[in-house]
Amino acid sequence: MALNLVVKVHPVVLFQIVDAYERRNADSHRVIGTLLGTSDKGVVEVTNCFCVPHKEHADQVEAELNYAMDVYELNRRVNSSENIVGWWATGNEVTNHSSVIHEYYSRECREPVHVTLDTSLAGARMGLRAYVCVPLGVPRGKQGVMFTPIDVTLICYEPEIVGLQLCQKTMAPNGRSRQVQPMLDLAQVAEAAAKLSGLLDQVLQYVEDVLADRVAPHNAAGRQLLELAHSLPSLAADALSAAFASSVKDLLMVVTLAQLIKTQLQLNEKLTLLTSQ
């Protein structure tokens, strides 16, 4: 059933929606677009999207549907696993024109979802909501539809987490933005190791406090710690250290090869420019 759907949105989708809103025409108050992703076993995972130019009038909506299908077909050539799963719109509410737009997407996919992103920052938050369209009415009577909210969460791939962490560093303590540069691979490893060490210290302190009866034990935390302990490989300290050192050497080799390839490409580009003159 559509009401049991769960929508999982990736951060890149939110960035694309905000970018489309910032690039909108001066007379446009709302931006809409197509959601791409996968739908399986009641979970809709939105991994990509694009904007669809449109105009809203008092009694009708004009959308460039041919442009939308062309962009979708081009995206299918790059990523054939991404299908149309619904549509998005900026704003914090469902408008009168939403049912008309949703009817079009109902012909493009089964049980499309509608996602709204509040780019006006009402309540100092960028509200994210998801809806499904549920038919209403009585038999042999007037029929209608209603947009019903469903669960929506954010989900990230590991590379996306790295990007989000870098974006967080652009915010200075005084609230102003600042420019940051991506760290080198070894610097990222050092920072991740420092964070991991700090988290391990917190876990050890919690366990010691529980054993000393300074903190009440928590069953869920205990189960998670047990799963964490069982997930560790059964290796001696020396073997684990040797394996980590080997991984670092592999990382250094990859970095060195990447730098060599980059230098070779730059040299080839300069030689090509010299021979073409």
Side-chain angles (χ1 to χ4, degrees), residues 24-204:
R24 72 190 187 281
N25 295 329
D27 57 345
S28 299
H29 302 287
R30 191 168 81 134
V31 185
I32 68 171
T34 302
L35 296 175
L36 303 176
T38 58
S39 179
D40 183 40
K41 297 180 180 179
V43 177
V44 178
E45 185 173 348
V46 184
T47 56
N48 198 359
C49 72
F50 60 86
C51 177
V52 177
H54 84 296
K55 292 183 179 180
E56 296 185 7
H57 305 281
D59 56 346
Q60 64 178 354
V61 179
E62 297 179 359
E64 298 185 14
L65 301 182
N66 292 333
Y67 168 84
M69 292 307 301
D70 290 341
V71 175
Y72 173 63
E73 292 298 331
L74 290 174
N75 186 81
R76 288 277 295 177
R77 296 182 182 180
V78 179
N79 193 342
S80 60
S81 62
E82 289 182 345
N83 300 311
I84 297 177
V85 295
W87 64 288
W88 59 267
T90 57
N92 58 356
E93 60 182 6
V94 177
T95 65
N96 296 330
H97 297 134
S98 297
S99 59
V100 179
I101 302 173
H102 199 86
E103 182 181 356
Y104 163 73
Y105 283 94
S106 298
R107 299 192 297 266
E108 298 297 328
C109 65
R110 183 174 176 270
E111 295 182 348
V113 297
H114 175 37
V115 172
T116 61
L117 185 66
D118 185 12
T119 50
S120 64
L121 299 179
R125 295 192 62 183
M126 188 175 292
L128 177 65
R129 298 179 180 178
Y131 304 88
V132 291
C133 195
V134 179
L136 294 176
V138 295
R140 301 178 182 178
K142 188 175 182 180
Q143 300 291 323
V145 294
M146 179 181 67
F147 284 90
T148 303
I150 58 176
D151 294 335
V152 57
T153 58
L154 290 176
I155 185 173
C156 303
Y157 295 131
E158 291 185 0
E160 291 176 330
I161 295 176
V162 176
L164 290 176
Q165 291 175 347
L166 184 63
C167 290
Q168 289 179 344
K169 294 180 181 179
T170 60
M171 296 301 298
N174 56 4
R176 297 182 179 180
S177 60
R178 59 185 178 183
Q179 186 176 2
V180 297
Q181 296 293 334
M183 296 186 301
L184 299 176
D185 294 338
L186 291 180
Q188 293 182 10
V189 173
E191 183 182 22
K195 290 182 179 179
L196 180 59
S197 178
L199 293 174
L200 290 176
D201 291 339
Q202 294 181 10
V203 172
L204 290 174

Side-chain angles (χ1 to χ4, degrees), residues 8-21:
K8 297 183 178 181
V9 183
H10 285 261
V12 66
V13 176
L14 304 183
F15 283 114
Q16 288 176 302
I17 294 176
V18 173
D19 181 70
Y21 180 77

